[in-house]
Every structure is written in C-alpha cells, then in structure tokens.
Amino acid sequence: MEEIEKLFRGSPGDVERIYSTFSRDEIIEWMKGRPSADMRFVEVEGDSEIVVVVPTADASGKLASRTREHFQGLHIIFVESRGPLFNYARSVNAGVNEALKFKPKWVVISNDDLTRVESVSKLRDQLDSVTGVDLVMASPSSYHTYHVLLMDPKPWFVTGMGVFGKLTGLAPAKVYGKLLKFRERLGVRFVTMIESMVGPMARFAGKSYRVLNAGSFAVIRPRRSPLDETFINSHEDLVLSMTSRYAVINYGIEEQRGASLGFGEARFVRTFVNEIYLNYLLEKGVLSIPGTERELSHS
C-alpha cells in the first residue's frame, strides 16, 4: 500500500499509474487503511442550539476569519488539518462528534470559503419550519444543492468528453475522458457528473439517474460520524445526500470554487479513486440510487 500512497502524492501521471497497475480491491484496501492527518479543534463560543463545523487548513487565517463573521452568534468548531493526509470526511466527523457534547438541535457542515451568507436569524427561522428530515440543503447554486447525474456513459460519449476536455481545458472532462479507459477493470459502471456541465447531451450520453447533492454546505440532525471516511475529499457529500431524507430551504449562500483543493487536473485524477469506491458500494448493495433499487438489482 505504500506504493499507492507514494503515487497518489505525485504528479497526475503518477496517480494515473494507480489505475493501470492496481486492482479495485487493492485501491479500496489502501483507501480504508490510510492514516488520518493531525487535527485540532478551535472553538468560537456561541449559541449551541445550532453548531457550525468547519474544516479548515488555518483556523486563524482569512477564510476562517470571514467564516466567524458569517456565523457570528453561533457556536463554531473549526477543525484545523492540512497536508497530504487531509481528509474532509474525517475532519467533518471529528467536528460533528465534538459538537454532540453540546446537544445541538442542528449541526451545520460548511466549507470555509463562503463569500456571502444570509443572516443567522434567517437560518434559524428556516430550520424551525423543517420537520421529518435529517438533512437540510441551502438554496440551489452551482457548488451546493446541485443535481448530479450517476451515468452509465456510452463509449462515444467518453471519447467525446476527452476531446472536449483537451479543446477547452476543462479539467474534469479531460481527466475522466482519459481515465475511463480503466472503467471495466476497476468496476466503474456509473460516473458522477454535474448535470449543468453535461447539459442537453445527458439525454443521449447513456442511462443516467439524477440525484440532488448538498455539496459544500449541509445542515444535519446530530448523529455520530455522518460521512464515510473511506472517500478522499469528494463523493462523501453525495453519499450523505443519497442516504438522507432531505429538505431544501430558502437560504442563500455563495462560495469560491476550489478554494482549498483547486480545480485542475491534479484534483480530478485523484478524485477517480472515489468513483471506484462509490461503484463498489453500489455493486455490493451497501448503497443504492434512490428509487432505483429494484431496477439496478435486475440490470
């Protein structure tokens, strides 16, 4: 497993060698066995009926300072962690588990890169109107509360995606167009695609299922370790959304895209390990696409 870790920390070309060299089981075993980065909590005192959990690389930095302003009056738990072993799901779970000692009514899970947030009083009012759900999403945007397609793409679409990515420089299309040549050997039947990026081509590209994803901002009912820590900095929010009863409230936020992890090829070539693990969960029946359980079991 040391060889996979070394390649994963390398260049995009190094990471690609993981998919051509190792089996699905070896990759998932490595994902599950990765050690955790060091973490520390930095707390801001406030009303603990709603506790805000924020993974961050620097609890005293500009992004964290802005987050303090956004959620002023609420209890905030910054989970500071950085380095190659940073894992978003592990940081979130650590923060949520710490929040449970306050017996909150709700726990907000937020990135630290929010640029605009509506008032805390509006958030309270909106949450007070919600019943019968364990996940609440903010008003739709391109980086939160957006639709994801779980698509079984046709070969021509995969080829076209790679060509489109090279011509436009769009990193996810370029990377996935290349990496999907390994899909059969790695058991990747479904590929996650942001619906707005696929556009009308989704009708012809292959069988797909539409899922609403909370993305970078979610509010949950308190429970221990809500995210699957095997995922490495993507897809954990999608699985949370797929497995929760949810509501969408009228609460607007805006954020930067890729402020922490970037939006280049290096990010998406690493993200592909999560496609492998997501498909493993679907294949084994541990996870199902909402509303398709019977259909998928007979396909």
Side-chain angles (χ1 to χ4, degrees):
M1 298 302 104
E2 290 182 5
E3 185 177 355
I4 298 180
E5 183 65 34
K6 182 178 179 180
L7 290 170
F8 193 73
R9 297 188 189 192
S11 68
D14 290 333
V15 182
E16 185 177 335
R17 284 177 54 200
I18 295 173
Y19 309 124
S20 63
T21 305
F22 296 92
S23 69
R24 177 182 73 171
D25 290 346
E26 288 173 322
I27 292 170
I28 293 174
E29 181 184 356
W30 160 74
M31 294 172 73
K32 289 182 175 293
R34 286 190 96 206
S36 294
D38 292 335
M39 291 181 276
R40 77 179 183 108
F41 301 127
V42 177
E43 299 193 32
V44 179
E45 297 292 331
D47 184 352
S48 59
E49 184 176 84
I50 301 174
V51 176
V52 184
V53 171
V54 185
T56 185
D58 184 359
S60 60
K62 291 182 179 180
L63 295 180
S65 177
R66 190 168 61 191
T67 302
R68 286 182 172 87
E69 296 176 6
H70 289 327
F71 297 109
Q72 187 173 11
L74 298 180
H75 195 92
I76 305 172
I77 301 176
F78 289 102
V79 186
E80 188 180 76
S81 181
R82 63 177 71 88
L85 290 174
F86 168 76
N87 182 298
Y88 179 80
R90 293 181 182 182
S91 289
V92 166
N93 284 349
V96 171
N97 294 344
E98 182 71 9
L100 295 181
K101 69 183 183 183
F102 298 104
K103 296 182 167 51
K105 186 176 180 181
W106 295 100
V107 177
V108 174
I109 301 170
S110 175
N111 284 7
D112 65 358
D113 56 4
L114 302 185
T115 58
R116 185 187 72 86
V117 176
E118 291 197 282
S119 68
V120 166
S121 61
K122 181 172 183 180
L123 177 61
R124 292 183 193 276
D125 289 344
Q126 288 292 304
L127 291 177
D128 284 344
S129 68
V130 172
T131 59
V133 301
D134 46 25
L135 169 65
V136 175
M137 304 185 194
S139 299
S141 179
S142 59
Y143 212 52
H144 61 266
T145 320
Y146 58 89
H147 281 102
V148 169
L149 299 177
L150 291 175
M151 180 183 292
D152 185 355
K154 296 178 179 178
W156 69 263
F157 181 75
V158 173
T159 301
M161 183 166 54
V163 172
F164 178 77
K166 288 180 181 178
L167 292 175
T168 63
L170 188 64
K174 183 178 180 180
V175 168
Y176 273 42
K178 184 192 303 183
L179 294 183
L180 284 173
K181 65 186 175 185
F182 303 119
R183 63 184 300 209
E184 185 173 344
R185 73 177 300 272
L186 295 173
V188 178
R189 175 184 174 189
F190 294 102
V191 182
T192 58
M193 298 185 182
I194 298 175
E195 184 180 49
S196 62
M197 295 178 69
V198 181
M201 292 301 294
R203 290 182 295 169
F204 315 104
K207 183 72 173 179
S208 64
Y209 302 93
R210 194 172 188 239
V211 179
L212 189 64
N213 184 29
S216 61
F217 184 91
V219 188
I220 65 169
R221 295 286 188 187
R223 58 189 184 276
R224 289 194 64 81
S225 301
L227 300 184
D228 186 335
E229 297 182 3
T230 302
F231 290 108
I232 303 175
N233 303 329
S234 92
H235 290 63
E236 65 285 296
D237 52 340
L238 178 61
V239 171
L240 175 69
S241 302
M242 291 171 65
T243 56
S244 300
R245 296 168 300 165
Y246 66 81
V248 179
I249 58 174
N250 179 20
Y251 185 68
I253 64 173
E254 296 175 4
E255 65 273 90
Q256 298 171 241
R257 186 176 76 166
S260 299
L261 299 175
F263 205 74
E265 290 184 40
R267 174 178 182 169
F268 292 100
V269 75
R270 291 184 176 91
T271 293
F272 197 71
V273 299
N274 299 305
E275 301 282 5
I276 295 168
Y277 180 55
L278 179 72
N279 276 271
Y280 170 82
L281 295 177
L282 289 168
E283 180 187 310
K284 299 301 182 183
V286 177
L287 176 70
S288 59
I289 302 172
T292 66
E293 295 85 349
R294 185 172 182 178
E295 177 183 351
L296 294 179
S297 67
H298 288 83
S299 61

